[in-house]
Amino acid sequence: MALLKSSKIISTVGLHPPLGVLSIRASSWWSEVQMGPPDPILGVSEAYKRDTNPKKINLGVGAYRDDQGKPYVLSCVRKAEAQIAAKKLDKEYLAIGGLGDFTKACAKLALGDDNEVIKSGRNITVQTISGTGSLRIGANFLSRFHTEARDVYLPKPSWGNHTPIFRDAGMQLKAYTYYDPKTCGFDFQGALNDISKIPEKSVIMLHACAHNPTGVDPRPEQWKEIADLVKKRNLLVFFDMAYQGFASGDIDRDAWAVRYFIEQGHNIVLSQSFAKNMGLYGERVGGFTVVCKDAEEAKRVESQLKILIRPIYSNPPMNGARIAATILNTPDLYKEWLGEVHGMANRIITMRELLVANLKKEGSTRNWKHVIDQIGMFCFTGLKPEQVERLTKEFSIYMTKDGRISMAGVTSGNVGYLAQGIHAVTK
Amino acid sequence: IMSLFGEVPQATPVAVFKLSNDFKEDANPKKVNLGVGAYRTDEGQPWVLPVVKKVEKIIVADNSLNHEYLAILGLPEFRSSASKIALGEDSPAIQENRVGAVQCLGGTGALKMGAEFLRRWYNGNDNTKTPVYVSAPTWENHNAVFANAGFEDVRPYKYWDAEKRGLDLDGFLGDLESAPKHSIFVLHACAHNPTGTDPTHVEWMQVAEVMKRRKLFVFFDSAYQGFASGCLDKDAWAVRYFVTQGFEMFCAQSFSKNFGLYNERVGNLTIVARDSDNLKRVLSQMEKIVRVTWSNPPSQGARLVAITLNTPELFAEWKDNVKTMADRVLLMRASLQAKLQALETPGTWDHITQQIGMFSFTGLNPKQVEYMIKERSIYLMASGRINMCGLTTKNIDYVAESIHETVVNVQ
């Protein structure tokens, strides 16, 4: 019996792999790979998830929430999904440029139904992996074909992911003045000054509406001057439109700047996202448009966009594009969608008003007018990084370090607590 | 007004999609499309797997689901179950917590992520000179994926022996021996595209031995697991063998074909690392690459696959659906070979049944291919590659006769 026992022990020791291979374990192809820092925006949500404080608020990522703080699946989306399910479609590969019904409707939404560009066929619009994918394809395209200038001018500040996207594509990043921290508003003169010095043919990035992260948009007269100056400087305009409908609640109003620039003869490139305005975040629905000189050029550009797309992901995913196309192309669904976008924008406007009212109630004497003046999903509170850190550590209120809050995360249920926290760190 | 894009040249269209286009426009009622790699039923129709239809209904009925963003690396239950499919449920590497994954946009997306990571972090930092070897021939997009990730030196390794219509093992091993150390090799896990010719187990063991000794990087492309033999485990033998040999490796998986989810872009990059610490750092860097490419992956297809793989009855049904597809392909192979033999078509045609998976490298030369397309309205790739799924009991006689006529009349 004793012998059996000891042989068992010996055999288990022999079969215990980790002890034996510890020395080999140390050597790996990846020993020099550093731990990457968490994404500044998406990392906020991940930290929020780990927090156990029942009063916690997530004001990080720009995803719409209803007044119960829940994700909102649009009714028109559910209806579209039911319609699609009934059709029993196959799952064959889409073309590299995506679903035709979607790309046509996507262009029309941005440019307007009877835009001359669409009528003359001088735009090429491809389906992309939401806004990020669109920006990336655009960046790759410019990097490869816009060889006369390598600089992309972003507004200061801009969406955090713009910089790494363009840099990874091989472009150089520069900035033009945009936000005035003194007024928490638009530094119009500063912007004009900087833009007037941008070298010809450089790429200038403009947020079509609901500027991210500041929520500060130029007024129409200011857009007109910018368009004029940009033309004088002969710059290539890259519009990022991720919030059409979300800013004012009105699709056409939010696309006004894009349409004005085209009218004035700018052949722009444009990124669109349907993540927010259709709530299709995880389905990755977007479009990338190049407005060309004529239809012939559009064909050449299209062929090159396909060459760029193929080695990244071959062709885009169907589900979200099909939902979006159904909504855009079915009159009563489209109408319902316009109503729902309007509703989402309105709730956000209401929350802005409530937040300011509550801050006053808390006794804050600071000027919070910018919270109401700013537009879209985000609000640039003006909070400093130390104040943001306190808000997170002491109140479990999560936002990005730059003081940006997603108004969509504010509800009538948490706005009081939010005001408390903000007042506490700013008084 | 001068256009900024005035100098943009017209690019040549991607061959396989152009072929489908030409097929569509052909008015000949007898036309046959043996081009693009998608499964077809015996009626020549796309096939949405019965299990997929079932799971779609489950998803639609589940009101707790929404369209929120997935995490950057994707749906966790998809990533882990997909990796289990490749490596086996009881894989020691998984048990040792050194397997991770990135949900990607199809197999292409998985290759892309792997390539981008390797260019940044493998064999130094941003070492664009590391040679990347792809088989001769290979899926035509392999070259572009690695070149676009920045690799300057994408080269072929000997693989297909046109004369004997089989694997050029000596050439393959020879290239492995002479490759610069640390070179990256893209290996087809099973059902080699386009030749349908896979190494035997013994041959794979020889390949692994050289790769280990010469410190070459293993990058598997697994787009047809289940499709080759009809059995998931059999088709994963090579991948799993390499894991037992202690390699740190990548495996790009596609669920386009074996789930029939082509247009939902369901892919997974499985990463096998030395230990969990290395794995963690690798995944953190993968996140950064994902973030500047597509931010986070599409949810629909991954959800569907995850539910299927993680629900026993559905998993069983799926394996059955996969076997249905594989069996039909095997039947068409046997049929075509038998008919060519009966016709006494010049040449040997054993390779049709020896080859495995969706594709067959017929051995037809470009002139013969052109003849097939122009004179017989049978569409196949210039390489002579045919998609066996394009064959049906209704068109197989016409195809066999056409091959016969072509081989006899065109040299």
Side-chain angles (χ1 to χ4, degrees):
Chain A
M1 288 305 273
L3 265 171
L4 264 168
K5 259 196 182 162
S6 60
S7 67
K8 260 200 184 158
I9 294 168
I10 289 166
S11 59
T12 18
V13 164
L15 284 172
H16 200 43
L19 287 175
V21 301
L22 253 176
S23 51
I24 317 174
R25 279 288 163 79
S27 97
S28 160
W29 289 129
W30 318 126
S31 309
E32 303 307 304
V33 174
Q34 295 142 27
M35 186 70 189
D39 181 274
I41 299 170
L42 300 178
V44 170
S45 284
E46 282 163 29
Y48 165 85
K49 269 193 211 127
R50 292 191 293 266
D51 193 326
T52 51
N53 184 346
K55 289 185 135 184
K56 62 181 180 176
I57 309 179
N58 186 1
L59 302 176
V61 88
Y64 182 79
R65 293 287 175 265
D66 63 18
D67 201 50
Q68 273 67 52
K70 295 268 174 294
Y72 172 59
V73 177
L74 276 65
S75 159
C76 63
V77 167
R78 288 214 192 278
K79 288 194 178 126
E81 287 176 305
Q83 272 184 32
I84 292 165
K87 287 205 179 120
K88 299 186 196 307
L89 302 163
D90 66 40
K91 302 204 169 290
E92 295 300 289
Y93 287 123
L94 284 177
I96 300 177
L99 183 66
D101 283 348
F102 168 74
T103 55
K104 288 195 193 64
C106 177
K108 280 207 177 123
L109 184 69
L111 307 187
D113 267 343
D114 21 72
N115 191 291
E116 155 276 318
V117 165
I118 296 179
K119 287 210 173 104
S120 60
R122 66 185 184 95
N123 68 300
I124 169 62
T125 300
V126 292
Q127 179 188 338
T128 56
I129 316 299
S130 207
T132 301
S134 176
L135 289 161
R136 185 53 197 257
I137 296 301
N140 284 0
F141 180 75
L142 293 177
S143 185
R144 188 172 278 184
F145 293 105
H146 187 55
T147 47
E148 298 152 44
R150 312 306 297 157
D151 294 333
V152 177
Y153 283 76
L154 301 178
K156 219 181 329 185
S158 193
W159 182 46
N161 206 19
H162 277 148
T163 294
I165 288 172
F166 281 99
R167 181 172 294 145
D168 204 57
M171 304 294 281
Q172 248 117 257
L173 278 311
K174 298 231 160 68
Y176 60 91
T177 298
Y178 188 85
Y179 178 71
D180 186 346
K182 287 199 245 44
T183 61
C184 292
F186 183 37
D187 184 349
F188 183 43
Q189 277 315 311
L192 290 179
N193 280 342
D194 281 355
I195 293 173
S196 68
K197 301 195 189 88
I198 296 179
E200 284 204 20
K201 303 210 175 141
S202 302
V203 179
I204 181 169
M205 167 73 67
L206 302 170
H207 295 220
C209 65
H211 181 271
N212 179 0
T214 69
V216 168
D217 287 349
R219 290 191 304 273
E221 327 77 86
Q222 293 172 323
W223 271 127
K224 286 182 176 168
E225 277 198 59
I226 294 170
D228 224 39
L229 178 57
V230 164
K231 193 189 281 190
K232 279 202 189 75
R233 297 303 306 149
N234 193 13
L235 307 178
L236 200 172
V237 174
F238 198 140
F239 264 112
D240 185 353
M241 185 154 70
Y243 299 98
Q244 189 183 4
F246 235 103
S248 67
D250 182 320
I251 290 293
D252 295 312
R253 207 150 122 201
D254 288 351
W256 183 86
V258 171
R259 297 173 190 183
Y260 180 77
F261 269 67
I262 290 175
E263 227 179 87
Q264 295 302 301
H266 295 268
N267 284 348
I268 66 168
V269 302
L270 165 70
S271 284
Q272 289 169 263
S273 166
F274 290 84
K276 285 84 174 171
N277 59 15
M278 279 194 183
L280 290 175
Y281 308 92
E283 301 296 339
R284 320 309 292 128
V285 192
F288 177 66
T289 294
V290 182
V291 176
C292 301
K293 187 177 74 182
D294 51 40
E296 186 274 333
E297 180 174 276
K299 280 266 159 289
R300 279 183 286 117
V301 169
E302 177 183 19
S303 71
Q304 294 296 347
L305 288 173
K306 287 181 182 170
I307 298 284
L308 279 169
I309 291 171
R310 172 75 162 152
I312 304 177
Y313 53 85
S314 278
N315 39 69
M318 166 66 93
N319 196 49
R322 180 79 75 186
I323 294 170
T326 303
I327 292 171
L328 294 173
N329 295 321
T330 311
D332 39 80
L333 286 183
Y334 183 67
K335 193 155 162 241
E336 183 170 7
W337 175 56
L338 292 180
E340 289 190 276
V341 174
H342 193 79
M344 289 192 283
N346 271 354
R347 194 184 86 69
I348 286 176
I349 291 170
T350 306
M351 289 304 107
R352 290 180 179 278
E353 290 163 0
L354 264 181
L355 178 57
V356 173
N358 273 275
L359 282 164
K360 289 210 173 94
K361 219 168 36 181
E362 288 292 321
S364 178
T365 51
R366 280 172 67 135
N367 181 354
W368 295 105
K369 184 166 174 294
H370 54 283
V371 173
I372 296 182
D373 288 343
Q374 288 167 8
I375 194 168
M377 201 178 272
F378 299 112
C379 168
F380 230 36
T381 54
L383 292 173
K384 301 198 191 61
E386 320 82 75
Q387 293 168 325
V388 171
E389 205 181 334
R390 279 190 63 196
L391 261 179
T392 303
K393 287 213 159 77
E394 297 171 31
F395 294 86
S396 292
I397 295 174
Y398 288 80
M399 62 183 70
T400 46
K401 264 208 310 257
D402 54 7
R404 180 193 89 165
I405 61 176
S406 167
M407 292 308 301
V410 181
T411 68
S412 47
N414 66 23
V415 67
Y417 180 68
L418 175 60
Q420 241 174 65
I422 292 179
H423 177 59
V425 307
T426 56
K427 62 184 174 188
Chain B
I1 312 165
M2 277 301 292
S3 164
L4 288 160
F5 305 125
E7 301 306 303
V8 173
Q10 176 77 30
T12 45
V14 177
V16 69
F17 299 133
K18 179 172 188 306
L19 196 73
S20 281
N21 248 354
D22 293 344
F23 168 81
K24 242 190 254 169
E25 287 166 14
D26 191 326
N28 184 345
K30 290 187 129 183
K31 65 183 179 177
V32 182
N33 188 356
L34 302 178
V36 86
Y39 179 79
R40 292 284 176 269
T41 62
D42 197 53
E43 284 73 44
Q45 292 305 310
W47 192 48
V48 177
L49 275 57
V51 73
V52 166
K53 289 187 186 160
K54 214 176 257 185
V55 179
E56 277 181 329
K57 289 206 176 85
I58 293 174
I59 292 176
V60 159
D62 188 344
N63 276 320
S64 73
L65 295 175
N66 52 43
H67 294 289
E68 292 299 295
Y69 288 125
L70 290 181
I72 300 176
L73 296 181
L75 191 68
E77 52 271 35
F78 165 77
R79 294 157 58 207
S80 57
S81 58
S83 292
K84 284 205 177 113
I85 289 293
L87 304 185
E89 244 198 16
D90 42 5
S91 169
I94 294 180
Q95 280 159 18
E96 288 159 17
N97 292 315
R98 55 191 188 88
V99 173
V102 182
Q103 178 192 335
C104 297
L105 283 266
T108 305
L111 287 162
K112 167 70 170 177
M113 282 303 132
E116 288 286 346
F117 179 88
L118 290 173
R119 192 260 296 156
R120 286 164 172 69
W121 296 103
Y122 175 70
N123 199 24
N125 282 104
D126 275 311
N127 189 349
T128 58
K129 302 221 186 300
T130 302
V132 178
Y133 282 80
V134 298
S135 64
T138 194
W139 180 49
E140 115 282 340
N141 203 20
H142 276 151
N143 279 279
V145 169
F146 285 88
N148 275 277
F151 286 103
E152 296 170 20
D153 186 356
V154 182
R155 332 171 169 177
Y157 60 87
K158 296 189 192 64
Y159 192 82
W160 169 251
D161 185 332
E163 264 190 65
K164 76 168 219 237
R165 289 194 188 158
L167 179 68
D168 178 3
L169 181 67
D170 286 339
F172 188 0
L173 293 174
D175 280 347
L176 288 169
E177 291 286 1
S178 65
K181 273 211 170 123
H182 306 310
S183 295
I184 296 163
F185 272 75
V186 180
L187 307 172
H188 297 228
C190 70
H192 183 271
N193 178 359
T195 69
T197 298
D198 290 344
T200 62
H201 289 189
V202 171
E203 289 166 347
W204 272 125
M205 289 162 81
Q206 292 176 270
V207 169
E209 189 273 322
V210 183
M211 292 191 77
K212 196 193 290 195
R213 184 172 24 90
R214 307 215 59 256
K215 302 210 191 322
L216 305 172
F217 187 81
V218 176
F219 199 147
F220 270 109
D221 183 353
S222 178
Y224 299 97
Q225 190 181 358
F227 232 103
S229 67
C231 169
L232 292 169
D233 295 319
K234 266 208 191 124
D235 289 351
W237 187 88
V239 174
R240 296 175 190 184
Y241 176 74
F242 274 70
V243 172
T244 64
Q245 295 303 296
F247 284 94
E248 284 186 301
M249 55 196 245
F250 287 174
C251 180
Q253 302 169 258
S254 168
F255 291 89
S256 290
K257 282 86 173 173
N258 58 18
F259 259 90
L261 285 174
Y262 308 94
N263 69 20
E264 297 298 1
R265 316 312 293 125
V266 195
N268 195 47
L269 177 69
T270 287
I271 299 155
V272 182
R274 183 71 62 224
D275 54 43
S276 60
D277 181 64
N278 277 294
L279 177 69
K280 197 167 61 146
R281 284 180 281 108
V282 168
L283 289 176
S284 74
Q285 294 297 345
M286 287 285 183
E287 279 193 353
K288 292 184 73 180
I289 303 170
V290 169
R291 185 60 164 146
V292 297
T293 315
W294 54 61
S295 270
N296 40 73
S299 55
Q300 179 73 359
R303 208 170 253 171
L304 209 150
V305 171
I307 292 173
T308 307
L309 297 183
N310 290 316
T311 312
E313 327 84 75
L314 296 173
F315 182 49
E317 186 172 355
W318 172 58
K319 285 194 282 191
D320 206 59
N321 289 171
V322 172
K323 190 162 185 311
T324 298
M325 293 190 284
D327 283 349
R328 198 181 90 68
V329 168
L330 289 168
L331 181 62
M332 289 300 102
R333 286 187 178 279
S335 236
L336 181 61
Q337 199 232 12
K339 286 184 196 292
L340 290 172
Q341 277 190 334
L343 288 167
E344 292 178 353
T345 306
T348 55
W349 300 100
D350 291 338
H351 56 283
I352 295 200
T353 44
Q354 279 161 6
Q355 287 165 6
I356 195 166
M358 206 180 265
F359 301 115
S360 176
F361 235 32
T362 54
L364 293 175
N365 64 41
K367 282 231 299 271
Q368 292 168 328
V369 169
E370 206 186 329
Y371 186 88
M372 288 277 279
I373 296 176
K374 291 216 155 75
E375 303 304 319
R376 310 291 293 187
S377 291
I378 297 177
Y379 290 77
L380 65 159
M381 302 296 287
S383 59
R385 181 193 93 168
I386 60 173
N387 176 7
M388 300 304 302
C389 301
L391 292 174
T392 69
T393 49
K394 289 152 205 84
N395 67 22
I396 195 157
D397 284 315
Y398 178 66
V399 172
E401 283 154 20
S402 304
I403 292 176
H404 180 85
E405 193 197 282
T406 304
V407 169
V408 164
N409 290 323
V410 182
Q411 271 81 51

